[in-house]
Amino acid sequence: MNGKPGPKPRPQNPIPHTGVYKPDSIKDVAEFLNVTINDSTAVALASDVEYRIHQVVEEASKFMRHGRRTTLTTSDIDLALRSLNIEPLYGHTPHAPPTFRRAAPFVSGGSTVYFVEDEEIDFDRVLREEKITLPKGVSWTAHWLAVEGVQPLIPENPPAIPREGDLPLEGSSAKDAVARRVNGIVANANTANPGVAGMDAHTKKQHQQQQQLVKSTLSRELQLYYTRLTSSLLPPNPPAPTSTDAKRTAALASLRNDAGLQALLPYLIRWVGEGVVGALKDGAQSEADGRVLEVMVEVEQAVLDNNTLFVEPYLHQLLPPLLSILLHSSLPPSPPSLAPSLRTASAQTLSKLLTKHSTTYPSLSPRIMKTLLLALISPEKSPGTRDGAIRGLVAVGKEAVRKGVVEGGGARVIAGQGEVDDELANSVMDALLVLHPTRAPSTSNALSAFESQLDIAMTEPLEPHNPADKEIIDKLRELVGDYFAEKVIDDSNWARAIVGVEGR
């Protein structure tokens, strides 16, 4: 013993609790479950319960604020419990909120108790009331909203409302005029378009229907833009000087850069398709048809250059005009350079289209390559069609040239025709240059043969007495024919690339 007094015992006072949820409630629940807990445990559990209540209310208030409300409902509490991975409370809905009544305390100063009051039902009153017939339940049915773009006149569809200008044509009734308006075409006998002068009856009718279709669905501003755009793009007949070229340049620049042309896109594409068909009809021998085809290709190039337009739904309408110009047998012969330039421009536009959309549609390039290969190797095809097919394969890519011109037998078919057309031979040589390991194909058809001869003169030729080179020469003749093999064997690297053998 050192004489120091020991620690005094602390009084056993209850732990104070400052929260809203009282420890007495915890003790009441524990007694109901036949569990005995001390004061400190009750205080700790009351604090935890209060924290959980705050958490639920805070989460429910988020749903209330997102619902643009200022009153917290039971549905907000249920959603908060679900988001906190707690089973929701059942029997409480915001549509029929329960009514709580305050019970009178048994003793003075006792705790306040609330209870849900049960509704008292008077059976005599219920029996005297008239029975309410329940409405028919929700059901579903199907009907034709439109059949091939035509809205049928049935009770389920809204009635057609004739607009100003929906006048019946001569010899037709008002019902026919309404039917034409429902079909999306406004039939107006008073409509006159000076731009259709000089057309035959069938072409004039198609042009009028196209103009009427545009007027029925586009805004007034886009209708005016469409009219001025198409009139500025089409070359006049006879051709006028520079003012027309300036208008065409401005119209193409608008197509490349304007961002509000999405609604007009299907009508422009349809106009291009009809323009190509009209220019290629009956042989397309006039110079005016050639200028129209040039404009149509430039329009498609401008549409593809406009990054704000969503053209993917219209790819199946963009490709036929390009392939028609590329593979048509008789393009306008005057001036002499027009047909090759048209095929080159179509091939470049096709290449641009595939570059932008072949990753989204992987089957696009193989399908086009198959079409071009059939046009190249099919018998009785004209030199112009085969020239366009070769240019198209070059536009698709290096693999298309290998499979079409070399492995598919395109060059061998052209070489086996006896006298080979010079322009067609130059196209084949430009296609084979795509396979060259170092050189690129010429952009000028007039200089491609000279450039090829110059490059070949500066390279190392294959040696026929060498067994390895002799095998390459034989395989080269088998793949591309004797005519083109003789032009390639002077460049050993080029020949090995065509055959598919790595260089020395």
Side-chain angles (χ1 to χ4, degrees):
M1 298 292 295
N2 53 8
K4 293 182 180 181
K8 295 181 180 180
R10 296 181 180 179
Q12 297 294 328
N13 295 328
I15 301 175
H17 179 72
T18 59
V20 177
Y21 200 83
K22 302 300 182 183
D24 294 339
S25 301
I26 301 295
K27 288 185 177 182
D28 292 340
V29 175
E31 289 177 2
F32 179 76
L33 298 175
N34 294 326
V35 177
T36 304
I37 59 176
N38 54 25
D39 294 340
S40 60
T41 305
V43 170
L45 289 176
S47 300
D48 186 70
V49 170
E50 185 174 347
Y51 168 75
R52 299 299 177 186
I53 292 175
H54 278 289
Q55 187 180 13
V56 172
V57 172
E58 182 180 359
E59 191 72 19
S61 64
K62 296 179 183 178
F63 290 98
M64 179 190 69
R65 288 194 300 271
H66 284 289
R68 302 296 177 87
R69 289 180 281 104
T70 58
T71 303
L72 195 67
T73 62
T74 55
S75 61
D76 297 330
I77 301 295
D78 286 340
L79 293 173
L81 292 173
R82 291 180 186 273
S83 64
L84 295 173
N85 200 20
I86 303 174
E87 187 176 3
L89 301 177
Y90 300 101
H92 303 280
T93 61
H95 309 290
T99 303
F100 292 90
R101 287 190 59 186
R102 181 178 179 180
F106 290 100
V107 294
S108 177
S111 60
T112 305
V113 178
Y114 293 89
F115 66 96
V116 179
E117 184 179 12
D118 294 331
E119 182 183 0
E120 295 181 359
I121 300 175
D122 186 1
F123 286 102
D124 294 335
R125 180 178 58 83
V126 172
L127 293 175
R128 287 195 304 268
E129 288 179 351
E130 183 180 356
K131 294 182 179 180
I132 300 176
T133 303
L134 294 177
K136 186 180 179 180
V138 177
S139 60
W140 301 92
T141 184
H143 71 277
W144 287 101
L145 180 64
V147 180
E148 295 183 356
V150 180
Q151 177 179 299
L153 298 177
I154 57 178
E156 288 80 4
N157 286 333
I161 302 176
R163 297 181 181 178
E164 184 180 356
D166 293 350
L167 302 177
L169 297 176
E170 296 181 1
S172 61
S173 62
K175 183 178 180 182
D176 296 332
V178 172
R180 286 192 297 275
R181 181 65 185 86
V182 171
N183 295 349
I185 299 177
V186 179
N188 191 347
N190 299 325
T191 303
N193 189 350
V196 299
M199 299 182 181
D200 57 2
H202 181 68
T203 307
K204 185 175 181 180
K205 182 179 178 181
Q206 287 183 345
H207 185 78
Q208 289 177 347
Q209 288 180 348
Q210 177 189 3
Q211 295 287 345
Q212 291 162 358
L213 181 61
V214 170
K215 291 180 180 179
S216 65
T217 58
L218 295 178
S219 64
R220 191 178 298 257
E221 293 78 8
L222 283 179
Q223 293 176 27
L224 182 61
Y225 177 87
Y226 176 84
T227 304
R228 292 188 176 180
L229 180 74
T230 53
S231 60
S232 300
L233 288 172
L234 284 179
N237 195 9
T242 3
S243 61
T244 306
D245 295 338
K247 288 184 179 179
R248 185 183 304 118
T249 303
L252 292 174
S254 176
L255 279 178
R256 289 189 183 94
N257 301 312
D258 286 356
L261 305 180
Q262 185 64 43
L264 204 60
L265 184 59
Y267 303 101
L268 286 173
I269 293 176
R270 180 180 176 183
W271 176 74
V272 169
E274 292 178 352
V276 171
V277 171
L280 293 178
K281 186 173 60 177
D282 299 332
Q285 299 296 324
S286 67
E287 185 177 351
D289 292 332
R291 293 197 300 270
V292 170
L293 292 177
E294 284 182 329
V295 170
M296 298 307 166
V297 175
E298 290 176 347
V299 169
E300 289 210 8
Q301 288 178 347
V303 168
L304 292 174
D305 288 338
N306 195 331
N307 295 325
T308 62
L309 295 179
F310 183 59
V311 300
E312 289 186 2
Y314 309 103
L315 291 179
H316 65 289
Q317 297 175 358
L318 286 170
L319 286 172
L322 293 177
L323 294 177
S324 298
I325 297 175
L326 202 60
L327 302 178
H328 200 270
S329 58
S330 58
L331 291 179
S334 177
S337 62
L338 180 60
S341 65
L342 278 176
R343 298 189 199 276
T344 302
S346 300
Q348 291 173 351
T349 308
L350 181 64
S351 176
K352 183 181 299 183
L353 187 147
L354 293 177
T355 302
K356 294 182 66 174
H357 302 287
S358 60
T359 54
T360 308
Y361 301 97
S363 63
L364 191 60
S365 297
R367 289 167 56 190
I368 294 177
M369 187 174 67
K370 181 179 179 182
T371 302
L372 297 174
L373 181 59
L374 289 176
L376 178 60
I377 65 176
S378 297
E380 305 299 330
K381 290 295 182 180
S382 66
T385 300
R386 287 177 172 158
D387 182 26
I390 293 172
R391 296 176 189 270
L393 290 173
V394 173
V396 175
K398 183 176 181 179
E399 192 64 25
V401 172
R402 180 175 297 280
K403 290 184 177 180
V405 179
V406 180
E407 298 177 1
R412 188 173 63 252
V413 170
I414 295 174
Q417 292 179 344
E419 184 179 355
V420 181
D421 183 73
D422 292 338
E423 185 175 347
L424 189 56
N426 292 336
S427 298
V428 175
M429 295 302 295
D430 279 346
L432 293 178
L433 275 175
V434 176
L435 304 177
H436 199 283
T438 58
R439 298 203 307 266
S442 173
T443 56
S444 173
N445 291 329
L447 298 178
S448 60
F450 173 74
E451 291 176 351
S452 298
Q453 293 175 3
L454 180 62
D455 291 335
I456 290 173
M458 298 174 62
T459 56
E460 179 183 356
L462 293 174
E463 299 178 0
H465 61 273
N466 188 337
D469 290 352
K470 180 68 166 59
E471 184 180 355
I472 293 175
I473 293 174
D474 294 341
K475 191 171 183 180
L476 189 64
R477 294 180 184 277
E478 180 184 353
L479 289 175
V480 299
D482 295 339
Y483 180 85
F484 297 107
E486 292 295 332
K487 295 179 177 293
V488 174
I489 58 176
D490 291 335
D491 189 337
S492 58
N493 292 331
W494 191 8
R496 289 187 177 90
I498 294 174
V499 174
V501 178
E502 295 183 358
R504 289 180 285 183

